[in-house]
Amino acid sequence: MSNLGIVQIIDTLETGGAEVLAVNINNGLNEVGINSHICATRKEGKLIENINNKANYIFLDRKKTVDIKALIKLKRYVNMNNISVIHAHATSIFVAFCLKVINPKLKIIWHDHYGDSENLKYRTSIFLKLFSLFTHSIISVNVKLKDWSEKKLYCKNVFFVNNFASFNLVKEKTKLNGENGKRIIQLAAFRNQKNHQFLIEAFAKLNKDNPDWTLHLVGRLGNDLYTQKNLALIKELNLEKHIFVYDAKMDIKNILFQSDIGVLSSSSEGLPLALLEYGLAKLPVVCTNVGQCSDVVIDKKTGYLIESNNINQLVDKLELLIKSETDRIKFGQNNEINIKKNYSIGPFLKKIIKIYNS
């Protein structure tokens, strides 16, 4: 294990599930004494604050698809730091593939975080097929993705490894609006599959009988139609004093500790990190039954699973938790036990170190 040199490669350090996981893996490997590094290829972002070993971080500033200057910079860094394994996350598989072409000795591990696993039949596989010929192992974040890779790609070593949750020690900055003890939180970037409109419309119904409860939307805001439509909807429904939007935040533990119910309204998912973080923060949850959410949420024990886009179900289940503080506490405690037992960093690192060494 001492000879192992790893670099996590990710295209950006904006706040997203794949990005958070890449940073957390890097930090975790460092803590167990492995020569671990992290590389952002295209863009830096808020997650740079969460990297524990900044001396082992490189930014390529890649300007175009095939950026020779960036590739040479990465090749030098890999050689200089005795790195033998490239752990490429999501779309950064392309950079890993280019690097492998100029340095064939490297072992490529691809971590497939594809979020729209309800619609895999529409996923393009032409380039991934090519990359998979040069890939040693694939790590899939859910079983559907694992099956897809085994059927569509050429790499023979495909593993499903659960995501894990851990809170980074970040300065507490965010103070949530609304009344203590009456806050519903959704951690999700403003993207189509997160289906904010469904949640906002459900909350509008819920708000009529529970005007003192507030909804808090924490996640990266885009400069796109999806974000604009959802922000406009909050205004249109006169909910500005009841729904608060925060953009991306780093102090997740602090935010969740101010919250009382975790919700996830997605129409499609892999195995969402937000659900794991809700558990670590002892929150009861209401979540759509998509992707592998049902593996994380134990219905009627740690929270409630509902059908995607079923507004009445979402309102009913949130109402059940609002009305029963006893259930909120009990579900939250069960949730924490489940997450710590099944989705913690220790077992995750053991599995991936085994894949690196194979």
Side-chain angles (χ1 to χ4, degrees):
M1 199 196 289
S2 56
N3 298 329
L4 210 51
I6 319 284
V7 62
Q8 308 294 318
I9 298 191
I10 188 83
D11 282 335
T12 85
L13 285 171
E14 298 281 13
T15 51
E19 292 80 0
V20 168
L21 200 69
V23 170
N24 286 349
I25 294 171
N26 171 59
N27 291 345
L29 290 171
N30 265 293
E31 278 167 28
V32 295
I34 285 176
N35 171 23
S36 174
H37 302 256
I38 186 162
C39 164
T41 72
R42 271 193 301 109
K43 198 179 174 193
E44 295 188 298
K46 289 187 175 186
L47 281 170
I48 200 164
E49 290 172 37
N50 287 9
I51 298 170
N52 291 348
N53 55 327
K54 302 247 183 352
N56 288 14
Y57 163 65
I58 178 173
F59 174 50
L60 298 186
D61 199 14
R62 181 163 68 105
K63 301 286 190 204
K64 48 195 175 187
T65 310
V66 180
D67 188 328
I68 302 299
K69 195 176 155 193
L71 272 173
I72 290 166
K73 187 178 179 181
L74 182 58
K75 183 177 185 255
R76 276 194 199 126
Y77 185 89
V78 161
N79 292 342
M80 206 167 66
N81 291 286
N82 301 318
I83 290 163
S84 53
V85 178
I86 308 292
H87 187 150
H89 294 263
T91 48
S92 72
I93 181 62
F94 176 70
V95 171
F97 161 74
C98 294
L99 192 63
K100 173 87 173 169
V101 169
I102 55 174
N103 190 350
K105 284 182 184 171
L106 291 170
K107 185 193 280 186
I108 306 288
I109 312 286
W110 179 45
H111 210 130
D112 185 6
H113 296 265
Y114 190 70
D116 200 4
S117 55
E118 303 300 301
N119 296 303
L120 277 169
K121 58 176 181 255
Y122 303 117
R123 189 183 192 188
T124 335
S125 61
I126 301 165
F127 291 113
L128 290 176
K129 276 184 169 157
L130 168 65
F131 303 154
S132 73
L133 287 168
F134 297 82
T135 301
H136 179 276
S137 301
I138 295 172
I139 299 172
S140 306
V141 295
N142 65 50
V143 174
K144 281 182 182 170
L145 287 181
K146 178 179 185 280
D147 294 344
W148 185 86
S149 286
E150 285 172 337
K151 284 185 190 122
K152 298 274 184 185
L153 306 181
Y154 299 123
C155 175
K156 292 287 168 263
N157 309 314
V158 185
F159 304 91
F160 158 55
V161 183
N162 279 335
N163 283 350
F164 67 90
S166 69
F167 288 133
N168 289 292
L169 300 168
V170 187
K171 201 172 155 198
E172 296 181 3
K173 291 179 185 171
T174 313
K175 174 79 182 81
L176 295 185
N177 295 299
E179 202 179 313
N180 282 344
K182 294 185 175 181
R183 295 190 185 107
I184 299 166
I185 181 102
Q186 168 147 295
L187 290 181
F190 276 68
R191 291 204 317 266
N192 267 322
Q193 73 197 64
K194 300 297 181 181
N195 208 0
H196 285 80
Q197 182 178 339
F198 163 49
L199 176 57
I200 293 164
E201 287 171 351
F203 185 80
K205 284 188 160 194
L206 188 77
N207 184 248
K208 286 172 186 158
D209 295 324
N210 307 280
D212 43 354
W213 277 76
T214 50
L215 174 63
H216 304 263
L217 304 176
V218 175
R220 193 166 75 244
L221 295 164
N223 282 328
D224 57 358
L225 192 59
Y226 177 85
T227 303
Q228 287 162 17
K229 269 170 67 178
N230 282 292
L231 297 179
L233 182 63
I234 294 167
K235 275 189 179 170
E236 199 183 298
L237 296 168
N238 293 319
L239 290 169
E240 293 110 313
K241 288 180 181 167
H242 303 276
I243 299 181
F244 301 97
V245 180
Y246 297 84
D247 206 351
K249 296 288 175 192
M250 290 291 96
D251 54 336
I252 297 301
K253 180 182 179 181
N254 166 49
I255 286 167
L256 293 180
F257 276 42
Q258 296 173 61
S259 308
D260 304 280
I261 299 169
V263 67
L264 207 58
S265 57
S266 311
S267 54
S268 178
E269 271 299 350
L271 197 156
L273 208 52
L275 278 189
L276 308 184
E277 291 171 332
Y278 295 162
L280 274 193
K282 285 192 186 176
L283 291 184
V285 297
V286 179
C287 170
T288 48
N289 191 0
V290 293
Q292 282 189 247
C293 294
S294 62
D295 286 1
V296 182
V297 179
I298 306 164
D299 194 38
K300 302 184 184 69
K301 192 176 175 189
T302 66
Y304 294 110
L305 287 164
I306 59 157
E307 292 163 20
S308 180
N309 284 311
N310 190 322
I311 282 190
N312 293 335
Q313 271 189 17
L314 180 51
V315 173
D316 291 348
K317 299 308 181 197
L318 284 171
E319 202 132 40
L320 285 176
L321 288 174
I322 282 172
K323 293 205 171 0
S324 173
E325 191 184 353
T326 312
D327 277 356
R328 290 204 301 275
I329 292 165
K330 185 176 73 182
F331 284 9
Q333 286 169 342
N334 291 342
N335 202 5
E336 185 195 31
I337 291 163
N338 178 42
I339 297 305
K340 284 189 169 170
K341 185 183 167 194
N342 297 306
Y343 299 93
S344 61
I345 188 166
F348 179 93
L349 289 180
K350 269 186 193 161
K351 283 179 188 168
I352 66 156
I353 290 167
K354 202 174 167 185
I355 294 168
Y356 293 157
N357 280 317
S358 64

